[in-house]
Amino acid sequence: MSKYKAIPEGYMTVGELAKKMDVTVRTLQYYDREGVLSPSAKSAGGRRLYTDKDLVRLHQILSLKSLGFSLDDIKNHLVSLETPEDVAGALADQAAAIRKKIETLSESLKEIEILREEALQMQSVDFKKYADIITNLRMKNEYYWMIKHLDDQVLDHFHGLFNMDSGLAMLETLTRLFDEAVQFQKDGVPPESEEGQRFAREYWDMIMEFTGGDAAMLSKLMEMNESMETDHVMTGDMGWKQKQEIANEFIIPALEEYFDKRGLDPFQGVTK
């Protein structure tokens, strides 16, 4: 028993360190074998002995491990702890890594909560739409919620025409044009004016780019537009339904004027 009492002052056994840091002795033995955390000394009886400095380093290791670092990564991230600046720098690095992890987890939680709400509003389980919603959430596309209103034909059509970059560009154009229409309506810009007709041409070109001139696809978009009764909150404090109503008060007469001047019937063979 004498050998177990001969622990030099300032040292702790592997069991004591394990208890203080809520890890197993086996874990500390593994870290020793892997060269991640070796004991600072050994007792006369061959027991592993650790210092308070080892405890701080173990805390660093466990923090990095909780952030998903491998043991090889951890070896590369561990720094000298010889000066106050070393310690402060190591803690600053840990804090930065933890903040980044918190941001990532917060974003993931937000996506999960949004997807849950979208799933509850859909009539059936549809993993294809779930995947599209997740993709659009990660693209920071505020129109992710429209996906639940699209049928498979429209979704397949969209995927066939656009990749991630061009699809996002199309949606950004849609957002800009809707905002523009709302502002024109509020400012009293005449739909038949030069500015109104410039808008109508750009809006119609966007529709043609999406539909490829397919009148059937245009009809589907009109049906989808009418089915969106939700007042989904957009960026800012205006809901989609309110924004849609204001925008359409300008878009519809502007397009009608545009069609009349060109003798177009968009539902009977589209030309530009």
Side-chain angles (χ1 to χ4, degrees):
M1 292 295 292
S2 58
K3 68 176 181 179
Y4 295 113
K5 295 180 181 179
I7 303 300
E9 186 176 351
Y11 288 90
M12 66 190 90
T13 66
V14 65
E16 290 170 336
L17 177 61
K19 185 176 181 180
K20 284 185 178 183
M21 296 301 292
D22 194 26
V23 297
T24 65
V25 169
R26 181 173 294 181
T27 295
L28 294 178
Q29 292 170 341
Y30 175 67
Y31 287 167
D32 185 11
R33 288 197 303 272
E34 295 297 317
V36 180
L37 179 68
S38 297
S40 292
K42 287 191 177 181
S43 70
R47 303 177 72 189
R48 293 177 174 87
L49 300 179
Y50 296 86
T51 65
D52 289 337
K53 180 180 176 181
D54 295 327
L55 185 148
V56 173
R57 187 171 291 278
L58 177 58
H59 178 268
Q60 190 180 10
I61 292 167
L62 296 175
S63 295
L64 291 170
K65 190 171 182 295
S66 71
L67 295 173
F69 288 98
S70 68
L71 284 185
D72 286 337
D73 292 332
I74 291 172
K75 288 179 186 178
N76 295 328
H77 278 79
L78 292 175
V79 297
S80 170
L81 299 176
E82 300 302 325
T83 68
E85 290 75 20
D86 291 340
V87 175
L91 292 174
D93 289 343
Q94 281 180 251
I98 290 171
R99 277 194 293 270
K100 185 175 181 180
K101 187 69 171 181
I102 289 172
E103 290 173 5
T104 300
L105 290 174
S106 295
E107 192 64 29
S108 296
L109 177 60
K110 180 181 177 182
E111 290 174 1
I112 290 170
E113 290 175 339
I114 289 175
L115 182 58
R116 174 183 176 276
E117 291 301 318
E118 293 297 296
L120 287 173
Q121 293 177 34
M122 293 165 63
Q123 299 300 311
S124 60
V125 174
D126 192 326
F127 289 103
K128 182 178 181 179
K129 287 185 178 180
Y130 296 164
D132 273 343
I133 290 171
I134 291 171
T135 299
N136 278 270
L137 285 171
R138 296 193 170 182
M139 291 165 59
K140 309 302 182 186
N141 171 27
E142 66 176 331
Y143 288 92
Y144 65 85
W145 58 274
M146 285 186 174
I147 292 170
K148 65 176 173 287
H149 296 284
L150 304 177
D151 63 21
D152 287 343
Q153 185 179 352
V154 175
L155 277 175
D156 289 342
H157 175 82
F158 188 82
H159 290 310
L161 284 179
F162 304 101
N163 58 30
M164 184 175 291
D165 290 336
S166 60
L168 185 58
M170 166 67 71
L171 291 168
E172 287 173 347
T173 298
L174 172 66
T175 302
R176 176 178 58 80
L177 289 175
F178 254 74
D179 289 339
E180 199 171 316
V182 169
Q183 194 59 52
F184 281 165
Q185 182 63 19
K186 289 182 176 180
D187 292 344
V189 175
E192 67 278 7
S193 67
E194 181 178 345
E195 189 70 2
Q197 288 305 289
R198 190 253 342 137
F199 171 89
R201 181 178 65 254
E202 187 176 1
Y203 190 86
W204 187 239
D205 286 346
M206 178 194 67
I207 297 297
M208 289 299 93
E209 183 181 357
F210 182 82
T211 63
D214 185 341
M217 187 59 61
L218 178 59
S219 295
K220 281 186 170 292
L221 289 179
M222 296 293 289
E223 292 172 5
M224 180 192 76
N225 189 57
E226 293 173 359
S227 72
M228 292 182 187
E229 299 176 353
T230 179
D231 198 24
H232 183 90
V233 176
M234 306 290 288
T235 300
D237 50 75
M238 184 181 294
W240 165 257
K241 187 176 181 181
Q242 181 186 3
K243 188 174 187 177
Q244 181 185 41
E245 289 173 351
I246 296 173
N248 283 343
E249 288 177 8
F250 182 84
I251 293 172
I252 292 173
L255 286 177
E256 288 176 346
E257 179 73 14
Y258 183 79
F259 296 150
D260 286 344
K261 285 183 176 179
R262 290 160 180 76
L264 295 177
D265 183 344
F267 295 101
Q268 292 184 4
V270 177
T271 60
K272 291 180 68 175

